[in-house]
DNA sequence: CAACCGATGACAACCGATTGCCAAACGATT
DNA sequence: AATCGTTTGGCAATCGGTTGTCATCGGTTG
């Protein structure tokens, strides 16, 4: 709102302010960061000058001397996977609200890129949030020892985590399919290094055994729509009447392939996805899927990380947060075809 | 590959290396950044020590003293818009290849957030890439004077830009619709502050006049699928038989709404989108849309920015880059309904 | 043999902030 | 008026590098 004089070309520093107010630079620093340490009158002068000069602290310098960078790294395996859209937005919003900057990195589904990124971030970030890590438990633990970390969808003892409870949703999905009369069901697995995929399969297999139906595991398939073609063919070939895919990308890809092959969904084959990503509601047919509060998961992860960074007296920070999920039924699931 | 001794808890600095090699810290700095300035033998010793200590330079310190941060800000209006995901991936890949870090910021379609972010980035980034800026020409120019900048889909004299040539694609879309017999066509406009939307409309209106068909402008509509409902209703109400939407999100939203209302696509209404985002190929019906090389646009933007940052003798950097587009015809367009 | 030269490496200032420590100033108490 | 405690603000070191300047050294040239 202040009438801003044409700024000099160089951003103002605390020294500029100090010169104007006739105080030492350290006093300016104190006035701005430890207001109680300085007389209220000088503080007012300094604040006025700061506003006048449109002063903003240099984050590099601040980072160098204080040791904290005000940045948080967010690592995702594949930035073009819509699942991460909402996650990233969640982290971004929450980080910005807390005055932090988000360093987004696409690790390209590679454990090496992930590891080297972490090493680099160790100096340029105060903490990191790692979604769907492809690293081994040991590597993850080792990294977590060096820099505050929160994982998402990756549960390792000793590392705070936000876990989206898709495993329990698979049970809902299974019951949904069973209620529709399906008895031969397949699980289209995700990457072998994905803990989520493993957990979903474990939960699903247990529930299947419990209910006395057959669920076979097919794959692994890369979490991309392109893999859906192979997944669809594998499902058809295996003779199942319904499948639960590791995620929506694979499921959507399957839908496309099944359509190409003239296999009707859900009349001939039911498909269940996971995550309820962008597109799950408008694909053809709309996808029955396990919906997760993804953006919220991102926010929670940030909160947990910040709690770790600024251990306030108030709240002991949780080290684990389980996000509830539920099955969203749409058009891709239906009654099992009548046996011939 | 080196047998890494258990690292000390604190990352190594050039002083550590200097101590080991018995040289001054400045020599270490030169050996690493200006290899020619130092004897090849000492350089070798220093490099060996650096490798041994697993040394990585502290980016904050480097930034502070050298004035360059090694980071580039990427501003997008809405991080959850799939259009930007390919863009972000393009910038991310190219930046990483050049050794830069990407600072991704979602400006929430707000000019204020955009402006304040730029001001902040001015100190913590070497340059910025602004996609679909919502700022005025003046503000943009003013900011570009303070920090190297490349815009995407925003053409302002004096600011290097990557422009995806969707306006000319609208002509293709129009001809496509005309060839199908449509004569009453609508353009579903995007945000008023979106230059892309304006340019598309201008090109479309000109082409329409040239061809003697009627194209009316409806909207504006927010670039989200939710806005598609209003857009669909507006289109139906206006009595057109085909529409060209500002982008795929609106188009996909329209598809959903039209389906709800029992209006068949393309039998009763043809719909053309723009961008060919994730989902355009598997919505129902698949969307005819103007495809853009989005990821490539991101890469080009980065290249242009880096050329600006490191003005090599070799190539004069282009200040404008036009990315070609083409119409991808799918199922959402068809022959005009027979007039009653 | 003296003058000269390029290569090499050390010194020190600096980037912009933070922070421990100390001293001046001030008011209050006895 | 002397003492004491508390504010308040300055000095200077520090973070980890970069870079301008200068001294030194070995070798070459006239």
């Amino acid at each position: 709102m202040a009438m801003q004089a044409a700024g000099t070309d160089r951003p103002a520093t605390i020294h500029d302010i100090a010169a104007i107010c006739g105080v030492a630079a350290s006093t300016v620093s104190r006035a701005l960061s430890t207001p109680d340490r300085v007389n209220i009158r000088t503080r007012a002068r300094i604040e006025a000058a700061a506003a006048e000069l449109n002063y903003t602290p240099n984050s590099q310098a601040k980072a160098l001397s204080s040791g904290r960078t005000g940045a948080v790294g967010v690592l995702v395996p594949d930035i073009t996977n819509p699942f991460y859209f909402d996650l990233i937005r969640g982290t971004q919003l929450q980080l910005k609200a807390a005055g932090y900057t988000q360093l987004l990195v696409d690790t390209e589904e590679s454990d090496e890129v992930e590891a080297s990124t972490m090493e680099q971030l160790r100096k340029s970030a105060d903490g990191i949030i790692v979604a769907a890590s492809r690293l081994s438990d040991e590597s993850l633990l080792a990294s977590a020892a060096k820099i505050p970390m929160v994982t998402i969808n990756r549960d390792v003892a000793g590392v705070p985590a936000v876990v989206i409870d898709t495993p329990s949703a698979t049970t809902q999905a299974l019951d949904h399919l069973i209620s529709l009369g399906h008895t031969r069901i397949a699980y289209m697995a995700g990457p072998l290094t994905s803990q989520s995929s493993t957990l979903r399969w474990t939960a699903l297999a247990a529930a299947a055994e419990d209910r006395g139906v057959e669920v076979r595991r097919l794959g692994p398939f890369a979490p991309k729509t392109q893999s859906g073609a192979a997944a669809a063919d594998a499902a058809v070939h295996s003779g199942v009447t319904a499948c639960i895919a590791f995620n929506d990308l694979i499921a959507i890809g399957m839908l496309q392939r099944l359509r190409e092959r003239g296999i009707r969904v859900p009349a001939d084959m039911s498909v269940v996805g996971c995550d309820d990503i962008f597109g799950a509601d408008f694909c053809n047919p709309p996808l029955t899927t396990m919906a997760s509060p993804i953006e919220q998961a991102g926010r929670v992860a940030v909160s947990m990380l910040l709690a770790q960074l600024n251990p306030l007296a108030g709240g002991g920070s949780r080290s684990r947060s389980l996000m509830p999920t539920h099955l969203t039924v749409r058009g891709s699931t239906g009654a099992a075809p009548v046996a011939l």
Side-chain angles (χ1 to χ4, degrees), chain A residues 169-178 180 182 185-188 200 204 241-252 254-255 258 265-266 269-276 280 286-291 326-334:
Chain A
T170 59
T171 304
Q172 294 178 48
L174 181 65
D175 287 337
H176 168 63
L177 291 175
I178 291 176
L180 288 170
H182 296 275
I185 299 171
Y187 172 68
M188 323 307 293
R200 283 174 206 165
L204 187 57
T241 61
C243 37
I244 298 177
F246 165 61
N247 74 4
D248 286 348
L249 289 175
I250 294 175
I252 288 173
M254 291 181 69
L255 256 29
L258 291 171
V265 176
M269 173 82 80
S270 286
V271 176
V272 178
C274 184
D275 294 340
D276 197 18
L287 191 64
T288 293
T289 188
M290 303 172 248
H326 65 272
L327 188 70
T328 296
V329 177
R330 298 206 184 92
S332 68
T333 47

Side-chain angles (χ1 to χ4, degrees), chain A residues 72-330:
Chain A
V72 167
V74 175
L75 278 58
V76 300
D78 174 12
I79 214 174
T80 58
N81 179 337
F83 173 78
Y84 299 109
F85 293 18
D86 292 308
L87 192 66
I88 293 168
R89 156 157 274 191
T91 54
Q92 149 96 30
L93 288 176
Q94 198 76 352
L95 282 172
K96 177 154 38 166
Y100 280 80
T101 303
Q102 166 165 296
L103 264 32
L104 179 66
V105 182
D106 181 341
T107 57
E108 299 164 33
E109 308 259 9
S110 149
D111 54 349
E112 293 185 16
V113 174
E114 195 175 329
S116 71
T117 301
M118 283 184 185
E119 186 55 32
Q120 197 200 321
L121 247 32
R122 186 176 158 197
K123 283 146 176 169
S124 48
D126 291 343
I128 57 183
I129 291 174
V130 189
S133 176
R134 302 304 194 222
L135 291 178
S136 67
D137 286 12
E138 297 75 40
S139 311
L140 220 40
L141 258 177
S143 293
K146 295 183 185 171
I147 180 172
M149 177 188 294
V150 171
T151 59
I152 294 178
N153 271 2
R154 176 58 184 268
D155 201 349
V156 175
V159 183
V162 175
V163 179
I164 299 178
D165 189 18
T166 44
S168 84
T170 59
T171 304
Q172 294 178 48
L174 181 65
D175 287 337
H176 168 63
L177 291 175
I178 291 176
S179 75
L180 288 170
H182 296 275
T183 54
R184 281 165 298 132
I185 299 171
Y187 172 68
M188 323 307 293
L192 292 177
T193 49
S194 162
Q195 190 185 39
S196 298
S197 181
T198 306
L199 291 179
R200 283 174 206 165
W201 165 245
T202 307
L204 187 57
E209 169 139 359
D210 187 48
R211 288 154 180 76
V213 298
E214 172 201 348
V215 178
R216 66 181 58 176
R217 174 183 188 156
L218 301 176
F221 301 100
K224 303 180 182 299
T225 53
Q226 296 90 297
S227 314
D233 291 351
V236 170
H237 180 258
S238 74
V240 301
T241 61
C243 37
I244 298 177
F246 165 61
N247 74 4
D248 286 348
L249 289 175
I250 294 175
I252 288 173
M254 291 181 69
L255 256 29
Q256 290 180 283
R257 174 64 170 181
L258 291 171
R259 168 172 298 267
E260 275 174 31
R261 292 188 53 175
I263 295 165
R264 295 165 303 165
V265 176
D268 302 325
M269 173 82 80
S270 286
V271 176
V272 178
C274 184
D275 294 340
D276 197 18
I277 62 171
F278 174 85
D281 57 335
F282 63 73
C283 56
N284 185 14
L287 191 64
T288 293
T289 188
M290 303 172 248
S292 335
I294 311 178
E295 180 174 329
Q296 197 190 336
R299 307 179 93 106
V300 171
V302 169
S303 301
M304 288 172 63
L305 185 65
L306 295 186
Q308 212 178 132
L309 294 181
N310 318 314
L312 295 178
S317 55
R318 289 166 307 170
S319 71
R320 201 148 313 284
S321 177
L322 196 65
M323 311 295 295
T325 61
H326 65 272
L327 188 70
T328 296
V329 177
R330 298 206 184 92

